[in-house]
Amino acid sequence: MKTHVTALCTVAAFLCLPPLVSRLSAAEDVVFADFEGPDYGPWLVGGAAFGKAPAKGALPGQMAVEGFAGTGLVNSFAGGDNSRGTMSSSDFLIQKPYITFLIGGGGFAGKTCLNLVVDGKPVRTATGPNTVSGGSERLEPGSWDVTDIKGKTAHLEIIDDAEGSWGHVSVDQIVFTDTKPVLPLHMERPFQTTFSATGNWLALPVKNGAAKRNVELSVGGERKRWFSIELADEKPDWVSWLDISAWRGQQVELKVDRLRLDSKAFEKLDQREGDPDAGADLYQEHNRGQFHFSARRGWLNDPNGLVFFNGEYHLFFQHNPYGVQWGNMHWGHAVSPDLVHWKEVGNALYPDPHGTMFSGGGLVDTANTSGLGQPGKPPVVLFYTAAETSWEQGLAWSLDGRTFTKLEPPVVKKFTDGNRDPKVIRHEPSKHWVMVLWVERDGGSQVQFLTSPNLKDWTPVSAVKGEKGFLFECPEFFELPVEGGNGEKKWVLQGANSEYAIGTFDGRTFTPEATKLPGQFGREYYAAQTFSNEPKGRRVEIGWWRTATDRDGSAFNQSMSVPMELKLVKTPDGIRMSRQPVEELQSLRAKQHPFGGFKLEENTANPLAAVQEELVEIRADLVPPPQGTVTFIVRGLPVMYDAAKQEFSVDGVRVPAPLHEGQLDFTLYADRTGLEIFASRGHRFIPVNFNFKPDDFSMGVSVKGGVAEFKNLDVYGLKSIWR
Ligand code: FRU
C-alpha cells in the first residue's frame, strides 16, 4: 500500500540512504525514482538519447506518450530513434521482494531496456512492447520478483542502444514494494519456462487468426525448433502436436516472444506419451477431401520428394505444422502402398539455421553413388531448398524411409536470391545425375541444369529461359516414350503451372522442340511433381490442388490432386502429354451404377435421378448431338458439354475439349473439394475446385438440341481413403 511517506522516501532513495530505507515498515512502498524533478538527480546519464532532464511526455516527432505517472518520465526519444544512451542509478540495497515500474517504447532485448544489475551483470531486464511499426507509446506496468536476491547491492540502468523504428525506451515510477504486483491481464510480456520432457508430444494450442507469436524450444542451450504460431490464449480451435521425443528426459526451454499475461496457452504444458490422436475419428471434417491427400493438421502446398522406396510410395509435402496458412515451411511426410491410401508419418525436414525447407525432389540412389548407403541398403535421397536465409540446395538421406539426416553443408551454393525447387534425375547414358533448379536471372525465369557424379558435387552446365511466366518455379524434368512411336523417346520440361516443353536432352543441354504447351485446363492445380523409381515404370504425377478449407476453425487447409499417369501421345498438332487417373483409384469403388449403352433424348427422364452419391467416379463415352449440349449434374453442379463448340463448362471454367471421331470420352472424380475431369482421351485435365459448395449429392444427365448416344456410362459411389 502506498502512503504519504513515499514522497519522503523518494528523496531518501535518491540520496540512496539504505539505513533510512531499512527503517521503513514492511508495508510501505519506496518510490525509488519518479522522474518528477527538474533533472535526473543522482542518475548518471551518457549519450544523447535521454536529453538533459526527464521529458514531460512526447518529444518532437513522437506519437502521444501515455501511461506515465505524474508529469515527468524517462524518454530516450531525445534526438529521435537513432540517438543512443545509457542511464545508471546509484547503488541501493535490495530490501523488498518486488520492484515495479512503468515501461514503454521499443521491445528489443538488451537494446531498449531497463536492467537490474548485481555484481556487474543484469539479473532482471524488461523492454517496451514494440518491435514492428505501428504499436503504441503507452507505458505499461512491469515488475520483477527479487526475493531471491534480497540483501544484494544493485543498481538500475536504462539502455537505448537501438536505432531505427522503435529505437527508444521510456521508463517511469520505479518502486520497491512488499505487495505482490497484479499486472493488467490484457498485457503482453515475453514468456519463458523450462520443463522436463516427460512425453513424446507437446500440445501447441492454435486459434486460427490469433496474433502470431514467435516460439523457440531449446535443449542444452541449443535452439532446436522455432516457428511462428497463432497461439490460442483461451479455447483452441485445434492442437498442433510437436514431436519432442528426441529430448525425452531432458530439460526443454520454451520461449515465446510475447504472450498475454492471462494466456492459458502454456498454463499447463500438455505432454502426451502415446499418439495424442489415438482413437480419434480423424479426416472426417466437412471440408476434408475423402480421397485426396491433405495434411492431418496445418497448411499444405507443393508435393515434394515423390519417390517409391522400400515398397512404399512416399509423398512429402510443403507443410506448416503449426497453422492453416502458409509459413514455417517443413517437409511433411506420408506413405502409401498403392498411391491412394496415405498415412502421415511425421515431419521429415525441419527448418534449420540455413533456412526453411522449400520444395524439391527425391530419388533412390540404387548404385550408392553417394556412398550414403550401406551394403544392400541404398539410400533414399531428398533435395530441398534451404530458403529465406541461405538459399542453398540441401541434401538429406535415409536408409529406413522414416528418419532423415541432412548433409552439412548444403550441396549447391546460391545462384540468386530465391533460387529454388531442385529436382534430381538420373541420366543413365551419361552416368551422372542431373539437377534442374529454378533461378530468377536477367529479370526472368530460368531452369538451371547441373550435373553430378555422386549427388554431392554439382557443376552448372546449361540453362533454359522461360518467357512470360513459362517455367516459373518447381521445374520437373523427365523422359517418356512416345506411345506408338517405335521406341522414340522425348524429354519433358515442365514449370509449376504445368506448362511444358518437349524436346531432346544430351545429358547436359535440353533443346526444346515445342514449348509453352498447356498441361492443365482447370483451376488451382500447381507445382505438380512425378514419382521417381515408380515400380511399374509409369510416370505418375500428383499436384497441389489449391482448395481453401481453412474455415470454421479448421485444423487443416489445402489438398493434393488424385495421382495421374502421364504419357506422350501423337496428335495432329504434334507430340503432346496426356493425363489419366491411375488405375489404383478403381479400388475406391464401393457401389456401381451401370447404365451401359443407351440413347438420351430431350424428354427422357433423368436416368441418374435415383443416384445419390457424395464421392463419385463417372466414366462416360458418348456421341453428343452435333449441335446440342449434354449436361451432367454432379454434387448438384452442372457439368455441361457443348458439342458445337466442343467445349466443357463447369462452374465458370470453359475448356475446349475436342471430340474424337465424333465421340466424347471422360472420367470424372468428385470429392468434397471439387471435380477433376480427364477428357478427350486424357488431353484435357480439368480440375475445378469448389469453394465450399453446399452439400447436394443429387446427380443427373440431360440433353438439349438432339439425341445423345451413350456407348457406355458407369457411375460409381466411392469409399473414403481415410477409413
Ligand atoms: C511453389 C513454391 C515453391 C517453393 C514453395 C514454398 O508453390 O512457391 O517455389 O519452394 O512453394 O512453399
PDB file of all heavy atoms in Angstrom, residues 301-302 318 326 329 358-359 420-421 473-474 526-527 544, ligand 1:
ATOM      1  N   ASN A 301       1.251 -27.190 -49.149  1.00  0.00           N
ATOM      2  CA  ASN A 301       1.268 -26.822 -50.568  1.00  0.00           C
ATOM      3  C   ASN A 301       2.033 -27.871 -51.367  1.00  0.00           C
ATOM      4  O   ASN A 301       1.627 -29.048 -51.298  1.00  0.00           O
ATOM      5  CB  ASN A 301       1.666 -25.363 -50.843  1.00  0.00           C
ATOM      6  CG  ASN A 301       2.971 -24.868 -50.280  1.00  0.00           C
ATOM      7  OD1 ASN A 301       3.133 -24.750 -49.085  1.00  0.00           O
ATOM      8  ND2 ASN A 301       3.910 -24.520 -51.132  1.00  0.00           N
ATOM      9  N   ASP A 302       3.045 -27.523 -52.110  1.00  0.00           N
ATOM     10  CA  ASP A 302       3.604 -28.431 -53.115  1.00  0.00           C
ATOM     11  C   ASP A 302       3.886 -29.858 -52.636  1.00  0.00           C
ATOM     12  O   ASP A 302       4.441 -30.043 -51.555  1.00  0.00           O
ATOM     13  CB  ASP A 302       4.956 -27.913 -53.604  1.00  0.00           C
ATOM     14  CG  ASP A 302       4.972 -26.440 -53.890  1.00  0.00           C
ATOM     15  OD1 ASP A 302       3.911 -25.819 -53.886  1.00  0.00           O
ATOM     16  OD2 ASP A 302       6.078 -25.906 -54.106  1.00  0.00           O
ATOM     17  N   GLN A 318       5.085 -29.633 -48.743  1.00  0.00           N
ATOM     18  CA  GLN A 318       5.304 -28.363 -48.074  1.00  0.00           C
ATOM     19  C   GLN A 318       4.266 -28.242 -46.964  1.00  0.00           C
ATOM     20  O   GLN A 318       3.056 -28.303 -47.216  1.00  0.00           O
ATOM     21  CB  GLN A 318       5.150 -27.203 -49.072  1.00  0.00           C
ATOM     22  CG  GLN A 318       6.295 -27.116 -50.049  1.00  0.00           C
ATOM     23  CD  GLN A 318       7.552 -26.601 -49.387  1.00  0.00           C
ATOM     24  OE1 GLN A 318       7.687 -25.418 -49.133  1.00  0.00           O
ATOM     25  NE2 GLN A 318       8.479 -27.488 -49.082  1.00  0.00           N
ATOM     26  N   TRP A 326       0.106 -20.465 -45.061  1.00  0.00           N
ATOM     27  CA  TRP A 326       1.478 -20.747 -45.467  1.00  0.00           C
ATOM     28  C   TRP A 326       2.470 -20.182 -44.443  1.00  0.00           C
ATOM     29  O   TRP A 326       2.268 -19.100 -43.914  1.00  0.00           O
ATOM     30  CB  TRP A 326       1.723 -20.129 -46.852  1.00  0.00           C
ATOM     31  CG  TRP A 326       3.067 -20.466 -47.422  1.00  0.00           C
ATOM     32  CD1 TRP A 326       3.363 -21.530 -48.209  1.00  0.00           C
ATOM     33  CD2 TRP A 326       4.289 -19.742 -47.237  1.00  0.00           C
ATOM     34  NE1 TRP A 326       4.699 -21.518 -48.515  1.00  0.00           N
ATOM     35  CE2 TRP A 326       5.289 -20.438 -47.936  1.00  0.00           C
ATOM     36  CE3 TRP A 326       4.634 -18.588 -46.528  1.00  0.00           C
ATOM     37  CZ2 TRP A 326       6.615 -20.013 -47.974  1.00  0.00           C
ATOM     38  CZ3 TRP A 326       5.955 -18.165 -46.558  1.00  0.00           C
ATOM     39  CH2 TRP A 326       6.924 -18.865 -47.281  1.00  0.00           C
ATOM     40  N   MET A 329       8.001 -23.307 -43.362  1.00  0.00           N
ATOM     41  CA  MET A 329       7.998 -24.481 -44.237  1.00  0.00           C
ATOM     42  C   MET A 329       8.839 -25.659 -43.734  1.00  0.00           C
ATOM     43  O   MET A 329      10.049 -25.561 -43.559  1.00  0.00           O
ATOM     44  CB  MET A 329       8.447 -24.081 -45.644  1.00  0.00           C
ATOM     45  CG  MET A 329       7.314 -23.437 -46.423  1.00  0.00           C
ATOM     46  SD  MET A 329       5.953 -24.580 -46.699  1.00  0.00           S
ATOM     47  CE  MET A 329       4.607 -23.716 -45.924  1.00  0.00           C
ATOM     48  N   PHE A 358      12.072 -25.409 -48.348  1.00  0.00           N
ATOM     49  CA  PHE A 358      11.234 -25.251 -49.537  1.00  0.00           C
ATOM     50  C   PHE A 358      11.305 -26.517 -50.395  1.00  0.00           C
ATOM     51  O   PHE A 358      12.036 -27.449 -50.112  1.00  0.00           O
ATOM     52  CB  PHE A 358      11.683 -24.031 -50.338  1.00  0.00           C
ATOM     53  CG  PHE A 358      11.033 -22.736 -49.886  1.00  0.00           C
ATOM     54  CD1 PHE A 358      10.468 -22.597 -48.629  1.00  0.00           C
ATOM     55  CD2 PHE A 358      10.990 -21.633 -50.744  1.00  0.00           C
ATOM     56  CE1 PHE A 358       9.875 -21.397 -48.229  1.00  0.00           C
ATOM     57  CE2 PHE A 358      10.400 -20.431 -50.355  1.00  0.00           C
ATOM     58  CZ  PHE A 358       9.847 -20.310 -49.107  1.00  0.00           C
ATOM     59  N   SER A 359      10.579 -26.475 -51.508  1.00  0.00           N
ATOM     60  CA  SER A 359      10.328 -27.668 -52.314  1.00  0.00           C
ATOM     61  C   SER A 359      11.570 -28.281 -52.943  1.00  0.00           C
ATOM     62  O   SER A 359      12.591 -27.618 -53.129  1.00  0.00           O
ATOM     63  CB  SER A 359       9.352 -27.318 -53.425  1.00  0.00           C
ATOM     64  OG  SER A 359       8.091 -27.104 -52.846  1.00  0.00           O
ATOM     65  N   ARG A 420      15.362 -21.918 -56.313  1.00  0.00           N
ATOM     66  CA  ARG A 420      14.739 -22.971 -55.504  1.00  0.00           C
ATOM     67  C   ARG A 420      14.230 -24.144 -56.324  1.00  0.00           C
ATOM     68  O   ARG A 420      14.264 -24.129 -57.539  1.00  0.00           O
ATOM     69  CB  ARG A 420      13.566 -22.394 -54.690  1.00  0.00           C
ATOM     70  CG  ARG A 420      12.488 -21.726 -55.524  1.00  0.00           C
ATOM     71  CD  ARG A 420      11.400 -21.204 -54.579  1.00  0.00           C
ATOM     72  NE  ARG A 420      10.346 -20.497 -55.264  1.00  0.00           N
ATOM     73  CZ  ARG A 420      10.329 -19.188 -55.486  1.00  0.00           C
ATOM     74  NH1 ARG A 420      11.343 -18.432 -55.091  1.00  0.00           N
ATOM     75  NH2 ARG A 420       9.300 -18.629 -56.107  1.00  0.00           N
ATOM     76  N   ASP A 421      13.736 -25.128 -55.572  1.00  0.00           N
ATOM     77  CA  ASP A 421      12.979 -26.274 -56.073  1.00  0.00           C
ATOM     78  C   ASP A 421      13.817 -27.242 -56.912  1.00  0.00           C
ATOM     79  O   ASP A 421      13.485 -27.549 -58.067  1.00  0.00           O
ATOM     80  CB  ASP A 421      11.745 -25.805 -56.872  1.00  0.00           C
ATOM     81  CG  ASP A 421      10.906 -24.803 -56.105  1.00  0.00           C
ATOM     82  OD1 ASP A 421      10.981 -24.809 -54.869  1.00  0.00           O
ATOM     83  OD2 ASP A 421      10.181 -24.011 -56.731  1.00  0.00           O
ATOM     84  N   GLU A 473       9.108 -21.505 -61.233  1.00  0.00           N
ATOM     85  CA  GLU A 473       9.131 -22.373 -60.039  1.00  0.00           C
ATOM     86  C   GLU A 473       8.970 -23.863 -60.361  1.00  0.00           C
ATOM     87  O   GLU A 473       8.410 -24.255 -61.375  1.00  0.00           O
ATOM     88  CB  GLU A 473       7.991 -22.055 -59.049  1.00  0.00           C
ATOM     89  CG  GLU A 473       7.873 -20.658 -58.589  1.00  0.00           C
ATOM     90  CD  GLU A 473       6.820 -20.490 -57.507  1.00  0.00           C
ATOM     91  OE1 GLU A 473       5.703 -21.030 -57.622  1.00  0.00           O
ATOM     92  OE2 GLU A 473       7.119 -19.797 -56.543  1.00  0.00           O
ATOM     93  N   CYS A 474       9.386 -24.669 -59.387  1.00  0.00           N
ATOM     94  CA  CYS A 474       9.132 -26.116 -59.362  1.00  0.00           C
ATOM     95  C   CYS A 474       9.347 -26.808 -60.709  1.00  0.00           C
ATOM     96  O   CYS A 474       8.427 -27.452 -61.232  1.00  0.00           O
ATOM     97  CB  CYS A 474       7.707 -26.389 -58.887  1.00  0.00           C
ATOM     98  SG  CYS A 474       7.344 -25.682 -57.296  1.00  0.00           S
ATOM     99  N   TYR A 526      -1.250 -26.912 -59.269  1.00  0.00           N
ATOM    100  CA  TYR A 526       0.035 -26.206 -59.247  1.00  0.00           C
ATOM    101  C   TYR A 526       1.149 -27.091 -58.702  1.00  0.00           C
ATOM    102  O   TYR A 526       0.915 -28.001 -57.902  1.00  0.00           O
ATOM    103  CB  TYR A 526      -0.112 -24.968 -58.347  1.00  0.00           C
ATOM    104  CG  TYR A 526       0.931 -23.912 -58.602  1.00  0.00           C
ATOM    105  CD1 TYR A 526       0.920 -23.176 -59.771  1.00  0.00           C
ATOM    106  CD2 TYR A 526       1.931 -23.653 -57.665  1.00  0.00           C
ATOM    107  CE1 TYR A 526       1.888 -22.209 -60.017  1.00  0.00           C
ATOM    108  CE2 TYR A 526       2.890 -22.684 -57.896  1.00  0.00           C
ATOM    109  CZ  TYR A 526       2.866 -21.964 -59.083  1.00  0.00           C
ATOM    110  OH  TYR A 526       3.819 -21.010 -59.318  1.00  0.00           O
ATOM    111  N   ALA A 527       2.368 -26.771 -59.132  1.00  0.00           N
ATOM    112  CA  ALA A 527       3.590 -27.341 -58.536  1.00  0.00           C
ATOM    113  C   ALA A 527       3.593 -28.862 -58.546  1.00  0.00           C
ATOM    114  O   ALA A 527       4.089 -29.506 -57.624  1.00  0.00           O
ATOM    115  CB  ALA A 527       3.774 -26.832 -57.100  1.00  0.00           C
ATOM    116  N   TRP A 544      -0.345 -30.063 -56.301  1.00  0.00           N
ATOM    117  CA  TRP A 544      -1.048 -29.338 -55.223  1.00  0.00           C
ATOM    118  C   TRP A 544      -2.330 -28.810 -55.837  1.00  0.00           C
ATOM    119  O   TRP A 544      -2.286 -28.143 -56.882  1.00  0.00           O
ATOM    120  CB  TRP A 544      -0.151 -28.203 -54.742  1.00  0.00           C
ATOM    121  CG  TRP A 544      -0.803 -27.180 -53.859  1.00  0.00           C
ATOM    122  CD1 TRP A 544      -1.856 -27.359 -53.000  1.00  0.00           C
ATOM    123  CD2 TRP A 544      -0.432 -25.800 -53.723  1.00  0.00           C
ATOM    124  NE1 TRP A 544      -2.152 -26.192 -52.338  1.00  0.00           N
ATOM    125  CE2 TRP A 544      -1.299 -25.220 -52.771  1.00  0.00           C
ATOM    126  CE3 TRP A 544       0.551 -25.004 -54.312  1.00  0.00           C
ATOM    127  CZ2 TRP A 544      -1.207 -23.876 -52.402  1.00  0.00           C
ATOM    128  CZ3 TRP A 544       0.639 -23.676 -53.952  1.00  0.00           C
ATOM    129  CH2 TRP A 544      -0.216 -23.120 -53.005  1.00  0.00           C
TER     130      TRP A 544
HETATM  131  C1  FRU B   1       5.512 -23.147 -55.171  1.00  0.00           C
HETATM  132  C2  FRU B   1       6.500 -22.615 -54.166  1.00  0.00           C
HETATM  133  C3  FRU B   1       7.886 -23.144 -54.429  1.00  0.00           C
HETATM  134  C4  FRU B   1       8.530 -23.072 -53.085  1.00  0.00           C
HETATM  135  C5  FRU B   1       7.398 -23.429 -52.191  1.00  0.00           C
HETATM  136  C6  FRU B   1       7.425 -22.779 -50.846  1.00  0.00           C
HETATM  137  O1  FRU B   1       4.241 -23.243 -54.669  1.00  0.00           O
HETATM  138  O2  FRU B   1       6.485 -21.220 -54.173  1.00  0.00           O
HETATM  139  O3  FRU B   1       8.562 -22.450 -55.422  1.00  0.00           O
HETATM  140  O4  FRU B   1       9.603 -23.930 -52.953  1.00  0.00           O
HETATM  141  O5  FRU B   1       6.212 -23.068 -52.854  1.00  0.00           O
HETATM  142  O6  FRU B   1       6.436 -23.287 -50.021  1.00  0.00           O
END
